[in-house]
Amino acid sequence: MAFDASGDIPNEALLVAFSNGDGEAARVLALRLTPIALGYALRMLGGDRAEAEDVAQEAMLRLWRQSRSWRQGEAKVTTWLYRVVSNLCTDRLRRGRTVGIDQIPDPVDGAPSMETRLMQLARKRALSSALANLPTRQRQAVVLRHLEGLSNPEIAEIMGIGVDAVESLTARGKRGLATQLAARRDELGYGDD
């Protein structure tokens, strides 16, 4: 069966098709889900691309192994994937792996001026550094809500907590970020806003 990566076939149906031996379904799922896993892992791990790629690869391998026992209708594949990536990142962070700000890749887009690109990079590094200083659960909630764009109920399911706890973690994380970044408003070009 031919699938389109941007098509309307739900991820859950593609996973079932893969578990029944359809390699094309696996290709489409990989095209859809690997960038999601990688982007989230990059943010959780402070921009360490090598670590994030390892996490994304491990999460996808776990998805393939899970496919035979997948029970359609119980959870969304993306929710399951975010939870696995969260757990893998948390495990790596608990091991005390520190990530230097210099390991965050520079922007590739050449359209903005050099000054704009440098300011964007400074802002990205400042946010990455501030995120890295938050407690892990606050970082997860903030990244899933404000950088990944998930709803509070989705985050609650991923993190295995209640919606009220998600709201509390997100609020405390945002306050922590604001406190850390307040002294750098002018330096980051927000002084005139």
Side-chain angles (χ1 to χ4, degrees):
M1 179 183 287
F3 297 111
D4 178 10
S6 62
D8 293 334
I9 299 173
N11 293 332
E12 294 73 20
L14 289 170
L15 188 60
V16 170
F18 164 73
S19 72
N20 292 324
D22 192 327
E24 182 64 15
R27 184 188 73 77
V28 171
L29 269 176
L31 288 172
R32 283 183 187 176
L33 300 179
T34 302
I36 292 169
L38 179 61
Y40 179 48
L42 268 169
R43 290 181 181 104
M44 286 300 298
L45 297 171
D48 185 331
R49 187 159 191 92
E51 288 284 321
E53 286 174 353
D54 288 348
V55 165
Q57 182 177 17
E58 176 63 26
M60 292 304 292
L61 286 172
R62 289 184 184 191
L63 179 64
W64 303 141
R65 283 187 229 124
Q66 175 73 20
S67 67
R68 288 260 182 232
S69 60
W70 185 262
R71 291 187 300 260
Q72 225 171 342
E74 287 188 20
K76 290 174 48 178
V77 171
T78 51
T79 300
W80 182 92
L81 184 66
Y82 275 118
R83 179 173 277 209
V84 169
V85 172
S86 289
N87 292 340
L88 290 169
C89 288
T90 299
D91 289 346
R92 287 173 187 256
L93 291 168
R94 281 188 183 143
R95 282 186 270 164
R97 174 123 170 80
T98 58
V99 177
I101 291 176
D102 294 335
Q103 293 174 323
I104 299 171
D106 292 335
V108 181
D109 187 3
S113 69
M114 180 57 76
E115 181 179 349
T116 301
R117 290 191 326 212
L118 289 173
M119 185 61 68
Q120 289 171 342
L121 180 59
R123 289 174 177 176
K124 182 178 178 181
R125 286 180 173 170
L127 178 60
S128 181
S129 176
L131 279 169
N133 289 327
L134 289 178
T136 301
R137 300 292 278 174
Q138 287 180 24
R139 182 181 326 134
Q140 281 179 298
V142 169
V143 168
L144 288 170
R145 180 71 182 106
H146 295 288
L147 300 177
E148 296 296 325
L150 298 180
S151 70
N152 287 346
E154 289 173 313
I155 298 167
E157 187 174 342
I158 290 165
M159 295 180 71
I161 58 177
V163 173
D164 289 342
V166 169
E167 291 171 358
S168 175
L169 286 169
T170 303
R172 289 194 328 255
K174 285 172 48 178
R175 280 194 305 271
L177 289 174
T179 299
Q180 290 182 63
L181 296 173
R184 301 185 64 192
R185 285 182 59 80
D186 290 336
E187 171 193 344
L188 297 173
Y190 294 116
D192 298 331
D193 293 348

